[in-house]
Amino acid sequence: MSKTTKKPTKTATKSKTVEKVKSASKKVVTNAATKHSAKKSVSKTVKEVPKLDKNNSSPVSLSKLGKAKIRPKSEKETPRKIEKIVDIGQLEKKLADIMALDHTEFTVEEKLKALYVLQQIDSNIDKIRTVRGELPMEVTDLEDEVAGLETRLSHINAEIAETQELISKKKQAIKDSKDQIKKYETQQNKVKNNREYESLTKEVEFQNLEIQLSEKRIKEFTTEIKNKEGNLEITQNNLEDKKKVLKTKRAELDSIIAETEKEETHLEKISQKARAIADERLLSAYQRVRSNARNGLAVVAVQRDACGGCFNKIPPQRQLEIRQHKKVIVCEHCGRILVDSSIEEENSVPA
């Protein structure tokens, strides 16, 4: 006996599928409801979290804070200042004390002190001039450019005037040629033979050719004038732009000079006093070393048993000679004039 398998009917399968669809739809609805309720709870918590404003004591919601734009802190422009290297009053006092000594010739120690003071003054003047930077050069370059553009404008205007004069000459030549044609035509009516008639006709043709040539030249000159007028406009615009830039640069330079001129003149007066103490031989050596040195230092103090300019080691015997102040000693490596650290401490700026 074979086993008989019962096949499910169509109605039973349909009912099962309908039940499955209903259960799936119920799950989707419940998921959507839970998500919606979660969103509502989150929004409620966001709204419920308050934040106090500094100016107003009223609470501020997080949604408003999210929309608010963060403003960057305004950077305050610091005014340009000149770094103080030396105490000018102390330097003046030091020079006055040296010059007040009652003797005919200054000693080597006094000359070295005056030379070190001169170095400090020149370094401070260099610092003042570096504040100006390349502004003086820029101003002179712009002035040269403005002068060049002005001369170019004058040349273009002269060329335009010359071309207009040529046009007027050609117009006058056309007028003269027309008058000649009228004259030759009246003479043609009074001729007695064919030879005279032919010669007059040739003259009329020649005058017509002259008129055509003059008209052609006038057209060429007018196009040339248009091109030159275009160049003139471009040059004029460039000149106006350069003048504006020059005005701003010159105003900036004048303001910097006004700030530093008084101090610079005062320092130059002190430097003249220091130069009067040091002799010519020392001054010439000082100027030579200063011009060759990259940082403008010609007189340096011994620091940590080394040269203050090139930082090479100085032998102890050499240091002893420098401390005695009996002669001028230069560095073997860089050629700078060496002084004792005590002179540097005397002229240093008090903290």
Side-chain angles (χ1 to χ4, degrees):
M1 293 293 288
S2 59
K3 290 182 180 179
T4 57
T5 55
K6 289 183 180 181
K7 292 182 181 179
T9 59
K10 289 182 180 180
T11 54
T13 54
K14 280 183 182 179
S15 62
K16 283 180 181 179
T17 52
V18 168
E19 285 176 2
K20 284 180 181 178
V21 168
K22 283 181 179 180
S23 63
S25 63
K26 281 180 183 179
K27 284 180 182 179
V28 169
V29 169
T30 53
N31 289 330
T34 52
K35 284 181 182 178
H36 187 65
S37 62
K39 281 183 183 178
K40 279 187 176 181
S41 62
V42 169
S43 63
K44 281 180 181 179
T45 53
V46 167
K47 287 179 181 179
E48 284 172 2
V49 175
K51 188 168 183 179
L52 292 175
D53 195 0
K54 287 184 180 178
N55 300 326
N56 305 321
S57 60
S58 60
V60 181
S61 63
L62 288 174
S63 60
K64 286 183 180 179
L65 286 171
K67 290 178 183 178
K69 293 180 181 178
I70 299 166
R71 293 182 181 177
K73 291 181 180 179
S74 59
E75 295 179 358
K76 293 182 179 179
E77 293 182 357
T78 54
R80 191 181 291 181
K81 289 183 180 179
I82 300 162
E83 188 181 343
K84 195 173 183 182
I85 298 174
V86 290
D87 188 359
I88 299 168
Q90 189 178 359
L91 292 181
E92 274 190 302
K93 187 176 179 298
K94 184 65 65 178
L95 288 174
D97 292 342
I98 294 169
M99 294 183 81
L101 294 171
D102 189 15
H103 49 65
T104 55
E105 191 177 352
F106 295 106
T107 61
V108 175
E109 184 180 356
E110 291 162 359
K111 288 178 183 178
L112 285 171
K113 285 181 180 179
L115 208 62
Y116 191 78
V117 168
L118 180 63
Q119 176 64 72
Q120 295 296 306
I121 292 162
D122 287 341
S123 296
N124 210 13
I125 290 169
D126 291 342
K127 195 74 179 178
I128 290 167
R129 285 172 183 169
T130 51
V131 171
R132 296 174 193 170
E134 295 182 355
L135 266 177
M137 291 175 67
E138 287 178 9
V139 168
T140 51
D141 290 341
L142 284 167
E143 284 172 352
D144 293 338
E145 286 182 15
V146 166
L149 287 169
E150 284 175 349
T151 51
R152 190 178 176 188
L153 279 174
S154 62
H155 285 315
I156 292 169
N157 285 321
E159 287 173 1
I160 289 169
E162 190 178 349
T163 312
Q164 285 173 349
E165 191 177 349
L166 289 171
I167 288 170
S168 63
K169 283 181 180 178
K170 290 296 177 184
K171 285 179 179 178
Q172 186 64 37
I174 290 167
K175 190 179 179 182
D176 294 339
S177 296
K178 285 179 179 178
D179 292 338
Q180 289 290 328
I181 288 166
K182 284 180 183 178
K183 182 183 173 183
Y184 292 141
E185 284 175 351
T186 52
Q187 285 179 1
Q188 277 178 345
N189 297 325
K190 297 177 183 179
V191 293
K192 295 177 180 179
N193 51 26
N194 290 330
R195 197 195 308 180
E196 289 180 3
Y197 186 80
E198 286 175 2
S199 63
L200 288 170
T201 347
K202 285 179 181 178
E203 287 293 332
V204 169
E205 288 175 358
F206 177 74
Q207 292 300 326
N208 283 322
L209 289 171
E210 284 290 330
I211 289 167
Q212 289 176 7
L213 183 64
S214 297
E215 286 174 349
K216 185 182 177 183
R217 294 295 181 198
I218 286 168
K219 286 179 182 178
E220 289 175 357
F221 290 148
T222 48
T223 52
E224 192 177 341
I225 284 171
K226 284 180 182 177
N227 293 330
K228 285 177 181 176
E229 283 176 349
N231 290 331
L232 184 71
E233 189 177 355
I234 292 164
T235 311
Q236 187 71 39
N237 292 331
N238 287 335
L239 180 63
E240 287 174 1
D241 294 339
K242 293 289 180 186
K243 279 183 176 178
K244 286 178 184 177
V245 176
L246 177 62
K247 189 178 179 182
T248 54
K249 292 280 183 186
R250 196 178 279 164
E252 190 178 353
L253 181 64
D254 290 340
S255 66
I256 293 168
I257 288 170
E259 288 175 7
T260 58
E261 191 175 11
K262 189 177 179 181
E263 190 175 356
E264 191 176 352
T265 51
H266 189 201
L267 285 168
E268 283 175 356
K269 285 178 182 177
I270 302 167
S271 70
Q272 292 298 325
K273 293 177 183 177
R275 286 173 192 276
I277 295 169
D279 57 4
E280 292 180 4
R281 187 174 60 83
L282 267 176
L283 285 173
S284 62
Y286 168 78
Q287 290 294 341
R288 185 178 66 255
V289 176
R290 182 171 154 76
S291 60
N292 293 328
R294 197 173 183 181
N295 53 4
L297 290 175
V299 183
V300 291
V302 178
Q303 297 173 350
R304 295 179 182 177
D305 302 333
C307 172
C310 63
F311 306 109
N312 281 304
K313 193 79 174 174
I314 298 169
Q317 183 64 32
R318 201 82 167 164
Q319 291 183 40
L320 182 63
E321 290 175 359
I322 292 165
R323 281 195 291 271
Q324 288 174 353
H325 305 298
K326 289 183 179 178
K327 59 181 179 179
V328 178
I329 297 168
V330 297
C331 179
E332 296 175 354
H333 302 277
C334 62
R336 290 182 173 91
I337 299 166
L338 297 170
V339 294
D340 188 19
S341 57
S342 61
I343 293 174
E344 184 188 16
E345 289 168 6
E346 286 177 8
N347 297 319
S348 60
V349 180

